DNA sequence: TTGTAGGCGTTATCAC
DNA sequence: GTGATAACGCCTACAA
């Protein structure tokens, strides 16, 4: 059917192994035959068959991506395209392809990962999220299959290469920033408590509150689904308090959109009545009105480094696990202001 | 290294070919040996190697996705996660995996596609966009490689299975809707003119304008990059006219966010001063304030049908190309109102 | 420097 | 029903 190494060999009048060597750019092959073979390849339009190569080679030149459940709201977050952009940049440089696993349920996703791993469809995996007690991560560790994680593994973090922001510190600093603006009643709007990032940021928030000698109130902490309903619920709960917060630390820009929209419906003005500071600085965060003050966590770099780390794992399995910390930076826009009257 | 069909065969005391038949669920195999083999597989934790299977089979059980350049702003559009959700739903049902090709430049992407195709890494391809004179599409046609397109191919549309909304009709109806609200000065904010969808919607818009006997003014038609800068430019141009539009038909929700934010900065009120109607109804469109009136184009279904069509192409290559039209529906929210004084 | 031969893990085609 | 055996397309000792 399609052109194989043998066809090329025949035309160039050499052995198939010679052609193979030319492809691999084997140094001990004469320039002359190299040229001859290359001409034949061009002439026939030869392209190596990757499956055959993988089989002989035991390497697929592909890396697998594990995303959250596509039924999950988080899937729609612009975080993912951006992180994939980072991953694909380095994948391209090294001629790796991307293999995706999605599914509507946890089981589907798990099963997809098993197929990737056992079927030897990929050389390694990047986990695009980190959650508490993750089945997939346990499985990959058991199998000793190369993988890296974006975010901090809940346990065994030392033995797993992972790429993360210092979320604890980030949340702490941001809370301090709000405090420096005069806020003393600061709410925390978190997402899924299964996600390690939620936990880290919550702890950082708590630290700052306690350091400042402010009361740490449970009723200021809310965890909700993303988006509309979540944002709505969260906001309503918080505003219903006798002493509602004057500032909110929100874990994700998209969630902030929901919060913003709900506040707007309720006629609460941002930032005059309430300040909003969130994380991620996704592309759209400058487009809301008011535009979001947000922490740029450098999503692209998270992806880039995660893939880079993975390729290192694959290429030198002996190398020990490492932790890469990607810096963050506050982008001040329009949703934070000094507390009124100060 | 890992357990193979031979190990299973040995343990179950049968020939490798028998094991293979059990895997394939070959009917003419005795229940007894079937059970015996399955036990052995379970015991050893056997999983078939996909590469070997592909090689023998000439089928990879994977489909390739071609996205726009990740340097492109469009890449960040929530359209893509949603369309991928549709694709992966049916892919999962039939145990197909997803293979992704991205890149920062057109050349990179093209090269990635060539690798997918020639390297036999996938059985077929879904193009996630359709643009005028697309190199990749030409290539796939030349190679007679199975593929489907989301959107309408610019040429040879009859011979390519594609899944599309009736964008001409949609734009026409939406323009008529704005006219029915009393608007007579309606602007069109389009994206890249290379995209077929832009062209179709522009033509539908024109049709409605002419049908209504309204003047078709070139200065009401603006094409810009997505997002902030694009939206800003577009809006400024339009508002600078002696007779600025009272309503805008915007080709994409994300672009609408940009428009909305710019209008807001300029102190122009939506929908009181100007109405906004856009396309896609992405998840975030209800979160802006005011929330977007938008045409739901059923992105999930576009993806689902595209993958379904592709699997049909792959499974019965003889079948002729078809066009699937996915219905659309106006979702009325807060950005459209009757023209003031009517 | 190049050719020969065997193997990577499956499936498919014969036989029996 | 089941077992040999030859592909599938490529890589890699080993030999020459």
């Amino acid at each position: 059917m399609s052109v194989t190494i043998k066809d090329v060999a025949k035309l160039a009048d050499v052995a198939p192994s010679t052609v193979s060597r030319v492809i691999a750019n084997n140094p001990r092959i004469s320039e002359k035959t190299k040229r001859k073979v290359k001409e034949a390849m061009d002439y026939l339009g030869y392209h190596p068959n990757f499956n055959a190569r993988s089989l002989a080679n035991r390497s697929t030149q592909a890396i697998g991506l594990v995303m959250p459940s596509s039924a999950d709201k988080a899937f729609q977050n612009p975080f993912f395209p951006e992180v994939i952009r980072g991953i694909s940049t380095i994948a391209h440089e090294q001629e790796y392809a991307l293999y995706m696993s999605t599914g509507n349920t946890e089981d589907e996703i798990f099963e997809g990962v098993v197929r990737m791993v056992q079927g030897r469809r990929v050389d390694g995996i990047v986990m695009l999220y980190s959650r508490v007690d993750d089945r997939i991560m346990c499985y990959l560790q058991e199998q000793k299959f190369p993988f890296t994680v974006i975010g901090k593994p809940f346990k065994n973090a030392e033995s797993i290469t992972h790429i993360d922001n210092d979320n604890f510190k980030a949340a702490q600093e941001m809370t301090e920033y709000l405090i420096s603006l005069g806020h003393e009643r600061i709410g925390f709007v978190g997402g899924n408590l299964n996600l390690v990032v939620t936990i880290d940021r919550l702890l950082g928030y708590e630290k700052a509150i306690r350091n400042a000698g402010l009361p740490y109130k449970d009723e200021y902490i809310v965890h909700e689904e993303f988006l509309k309903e979540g944002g709505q619920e969260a906001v309503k709960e918080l505003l219903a308090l006798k002493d509602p917060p004057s500032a909110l630390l929100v874990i994700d820009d998209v969630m902030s959109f929901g919060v913003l929209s709900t506040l707007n419906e309720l006629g609460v003005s941002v930032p005059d009545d309430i300040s909003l500071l969130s994380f991620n600085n996704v592309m759209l965060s400058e487009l809301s009105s008011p535009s979001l003050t947000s922490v740029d966590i450098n999503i692209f770099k998270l992806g880039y480094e995660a893939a880079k780390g993975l390729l290192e794992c694959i290429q030198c399995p002996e190398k020990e696990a490492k932790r890469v910390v990607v810096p963050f930076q506050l982008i001040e826009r329009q949703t934070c202001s000094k507390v009124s009257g100060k």
Side-chain angles (χ1 to χ4, degrees), chain A:
Chain A
M1 177 157 180
S2 47
V3 216
T4 78
I5 216 173
K6 286 182 193 166
D7 303 319
V8 177
K10 210 172 292 171
L11 181 61
D13 200 31
V14 295
S17 51
T18 305
V19 179
S20 174
R21 283 189 264 259
V22 172
I23 295 169
N25 215 342
N26 191 314
R28 52 184 200 186
I29 214 104
S30 76
E31 278 305 320
K32 203 174 108 199
T33 50
K34 208 177 259 180
R35 211 172 311 125
K36 203 169 53 177
V37 169
K38 279 191 175 155
E39 270 168 23
M41 295 201 314
D42 282 351
Y43 180 72
L44 294 175
Y46 168 80
H47 274 264
N49 179 314
F50 255 91
N51 290 308
R53 182 179 269 198
S54 298
L55 194 57
N57 245 352
R58 288 121 174 290
S59 113
T60 60
Q61 292 283 109
I63 69 190
L65 308 184
V66 180
M67 321 248 278
S69 156
S70 61
D72 195 328
K73 307 288 185 292
F75 185 74
Q76 286 258 18
N77 201 306
F79 174 87
F80 292 102
E82 182 65 2
V83 88
I84 289 176
R85 196 168 70 85
I87 294 173
S88 82
T89 297
I90 190 158
H92 238 283
E93 284 171 17
Q94 306 205 21
E95 307 219 318
Y96 273 76
L98 301 185
Y99 215 84
M100 249 182 24
S101 166
T102 57
N104 280 309
T105 66
E106 270 221 48
D107 285 346
E108 270 183 29
I109 295 187
F110 183 72
E111 181 202 330
V113 171
V114 173
R115 280 211 294 263
M116 284 207 280
V117 172
Q118 305 283 16
R120 295 281 178 272
R121 284 179 167 228
V122 299
D123 294 339
I125 282 181
V126 179
M127 301 267 310
L128 265 44
Y129 64 90
S130 169
R131 97 168 90 206
V132 176
D133 281 332
D134 192 65
R135 205 166 135 209
I136 295 176
M137 232 158 76
C138 291
Y139 171 75
L140 293 174
Q141 277 210 292
E142 262 173 39
Q143 298 286 322
K144 297 200 190 338
F145 198 78
F147 74 104
T148 59
V149 178
I150 292 179
K152 193 174 76 186
F154 187 59
K155 45 186 183 187
N156 302 329
E158 329 70 41
S159 64
I160 300 174
T161 289
H162 61 282
I163 287 72
D164 199 12
N165 305 104
D166 189 338
N167 282 307
F168 178 87
K169 187 169 146 226
Q172 183 182 352
E173 286 185 12
M174 293 311 124
T175 308
E176 285 165 0
Y177 171 77
L178 290 171
I179 294 171
S180 80
L181 290 178
H183 295 280
E184 300 188 335
R185 305 185 315 279
I186 302 174
F188 181 89
V189 180
N192 195 325
L193 253 178
N194 285 328
L195 296 176
V196 179
V197 59
T198 304
I199 299 171
D200 280 355
R201 290 186 185 155
L202 181 55
L203 292 174
Y205 158 86
E206 176 176 0
K207 172 87 169 178
I209 295 289
R210 297 215 192 273
N211 276 357
L214 296 174
Y216 179 79
K217 298 190 188 175
D218 281 341
E219 65 263 37
Y220 279 181
I221 320 290
V222 185
H223 294 281
E224 297 286 350
E225 271 296 321
F226 274 23
L227 296 189
K228 194 71 171 180
E229 299 75 15
Q232 207 148 24
E233 278 314 306
V235 169
K236 282 184 179 157
E237 273 183 50
L238 290 170
L239 292 187
L241 296 174
K242 347 83 251 204
D243 213 16
S246 67
L248 259 35
L249 192 64
V250 183
I251 200 149
D252 179 282
D253 285 343
V254 173
M255 204 154 183
S256 274
F257 292 146
V259 170
L260 211 51
S261 120
T262 309
L263 287 173
N264 196 67
E265 279 169 24
L266 298 175
V268 179
S269 155
V270 176
D272 296 339
D273 300 332
I274 195 163
S275 285
L276 222 60
L277 198 167
S278 67
F279 289 87
N280 285 17
N281 192 36
V282 296
M283 195 184 205
L284 290 102
S285 55
E286 58 172 334
L287 292 183
S288 62
S289 37
S291 58
L292 295 178
T293 291
S294 182
V295 179
D296 189 334
I297 59 170
N298 214 335
I299 303 175
F300 178 87
K301 189 160 190 196
L302 286 170
Y304 187 89
E305 294 293 335
K308 192 168 150 205
L310 178 62
L311 294 181
E312 283 167 11
C313 284
I314 293 171
Q315 283 147 16
C316 352
E318 306 318 324
K319 234 173 157 180
E320 60 188 21
K322 64 177 181 182
R323 168 179 169 83
V324 178
V325 177
V326 172
F328 59 87
Q329 187 195 359
L330 177 64
I331 308 293
E332 303 190 47
R333 282 194 280 257
Q334 302 171 340
T335 52
C336 285
S337 70
K338 290 199 174 177
V339 74
S340 42
K342 295 234 172 181

